[in-house]
Amino acid sequence: MPTEETLVLVKPDGVARGLTGAILARIEAKGYALVDIRLVEPDRELLEQHYAEHAGKPFFEPLVEFMLSGPSVAIRLAGNRVIEGFRSLAGTTDPTTAAPGTIRGDFGRDWGLKVQQNLVHGSDSPESAQRELALWF
Ligand code: DAT
Ligand code: MG
């Protein structure tokens, strides 16, 4: 079976707070391979496609606006079970309750905004990964 790939994003809050290096260090220490990495300033169309599953939800527009607020670092990451493994490294969606030891649990908090800022994105399935990698790379 070919090695699995996933899309990881260091989102605008992670880049703006200077946490890109700390996040990359955790990914590298875990042993996954960086296949490609680039700084991206996405447009609205890319983001609406990326987050299409959330269209119509109350946080959708704040989410797109947040993602437009600055560059993200897009990473093509590879390794066996990397989709599941990166989501485990990231922690659960809500940074207030994400486990300590995870990226979101250690670096995230609730800022009282309409959208949760939780530093990173990771694809949630092989189908999502292929779809999202084609959008960002
Ligand atoms: P994840 O990024 O863990 O896959 P998701 O796909 O459900 O989470 O949501 C995408 C992003 O939207 C998430 O990283 C933060 C934000 N978000 C999700 N649910 C939210 C909510 N109920 N209120 C505010 N922001 C939310
Ligand atoms: Mg998701």
Side-chain angles (χ1 to χ4, degrees), residues 53-54 87 121 124:
E53 66 175 303
H54 298 304
R87 286 184 63 96
H121 167 83
D124 64 8

Side-chain angles (χ1 to χ4, degrees), residues 5-45:
E5 290 189 341
T6 193
L7 175 75
V8 171
L9 300 175
V10 180
K11 298 198 280 193
D13 56 334
V15 175
R17 290 175 58 199
L19 292 170
T20 303
I23 291 166
L24 283 173
R26 289 177 180 220
I27 292 170
E28 289 194 295
K30 184 80 170 174
Y32 295 127
L34 303 178
V35 178
D36 204 348
I37 182 166
R38 57 189 292 237
L39 194 73
V40 183
E41 297 197 55
D43 60 18
R44 175 174 287 274
E45 188 185 348

Side-chain angles (χ1 to χ4, degrees), residues 91-127:
T92 51
T93 304
D94 180 351
T96 296
T97 54
T102 65
I103 293 166
R104 289 166 168 174
D106 285 350
F107 301 137
R109 52 162 288 192
D110 194 319
W111 301 96
L113 304 171
K114 286 179 184 163
V115 65
Q116 284 162 352
Q117 297 194 350
N118 57 14
L119 301 149
V120 289
H121 167 83
S123 307
D124 64 8
S125 69
E127 297 71 29

